[in-house]
Amino acid sequence: MALTQEQRQMILNHSLFSHFNPQAQEELLADAQVRDHAPQALIQRQGDPAERFYLVHSGKVKLFRISADGKEKVVEIITPGNTFAEAVMFMQKSVFPVCAEALEPVKLIGFSNRLMLRHLEQNPHTCLHLLGHMSVRLHQRLDELENLTLQNATQRLALYLVSQVRDRAKDSAEIELVLPKSLIAARLSIKPETFSRAIANLRERGLIDSRARHISIPSITNLLNEFAGGQQHIEYKAGLIATDNN
């Protein structure tokens, strides 16, 4: 399936491709593969050989791991305009470390790891940009790990809600939860009933108002200071609390 003009532009605007020279960009575009996946379709399995990485053109993709006891742990939700599995090309053993599942109708654009590596070897400047891109992703995962190990369910939820805020110029915010609450709970490693209690706790304290998936935050400052301390508010204003991909 040939790329549309919109898909070409999305690719060229992405930080993984924008710094290549025109010739390299055209080679990568010519090799790109577009695939459609139905809701709940398994895109890749943990341990499968990895020959390509992917850019999500439309829909949402859930990345998850299966533990030894068979439990599913949600790692990340990938939304349109974002990539996944790109770090695998640098691994000694090129296999997918996670499973990927379509949460809704998904259109993916796949790129050859081998071709990407060849162009990176010829473009050291682009390698530096890719390193920066992966460093950001790594820091986000480390922040999530810290949240999961050091904070209780209500604190995790408060920081998750703050991560959904796009406009940081205002202290109040209106957000719409784009994922089902059960999936958000899994992402935060809490049970659905614990998620509901945490929502109720924040609402009773007057820190949020909720109606179905719509959340109102009267004061982000108060929310962060109540559950995460003043340092978290400073980090939020400085942009150190990353806007979530969801």
Side-chain angles (χ1 to χ4, degrees), residues 1 9 21 76 104 116-118 130 157 191 205 209 220 223 239:
M1 184 186 300
Q9 198 58 51
N21 61 52
E76 192 173 1
E104 54 194 39
M116 185 68 167
L117 283 173
R118 179 161 63 81
L130 179 59
L157 176 59
K191 296 179 179 179
R205 292 170 180 248
D209 185 26
I220 295 170
L223 179 59

Side-chain angles (χ1 to χ4, degrees), residues 176-242:
E176 202 75 29
L177 299 178
V178 297
L179 299 175
K181 293 181 180 179
S182 59
L183 191 54
I184 298 174
R187 176 82 184 278
L188 300 177
S189 291
I190 57 180
K191 296 179 179 179
E193 56 268 29
T194 305
F195 179 91
S196 297
R197 288 196 295 270
I199 285 282
N201 185 12
L202 293 176
R203 191 169 52 237
E204 289 169 4
R205 292 170 180 248
L207 296 170
I208 68 167
D209 185 26
S210 63
R211 296 180 301 279
R213 292 191 179 186
H214 185 81
I215 304 290
S216 298
I217 305 176
S219 172
I220 295 170
T221 301
N222 291 343
L223 179 59
L224 289 175
N225 286 341
E226 180 75 16
F227 287 102
Q231 181 60 34
Q232 289 283 1
H233 180 243
I234 294 171
E235 292 177 358
Y236 169 78
K237 296 302 289 184
L240 299 179
I241 295 180

Side-chain angles (χ1 to χ4, degrees), residues 37-43 60-62 100-106:
H37 298 272
Q40 282 72 60
L42 190 62
I43 298 167
K60 297 183 182 68
V61 174
K62 176 177 70 173
E101 178 185 300
L103 291 175
E104 54 194 39
V106 165

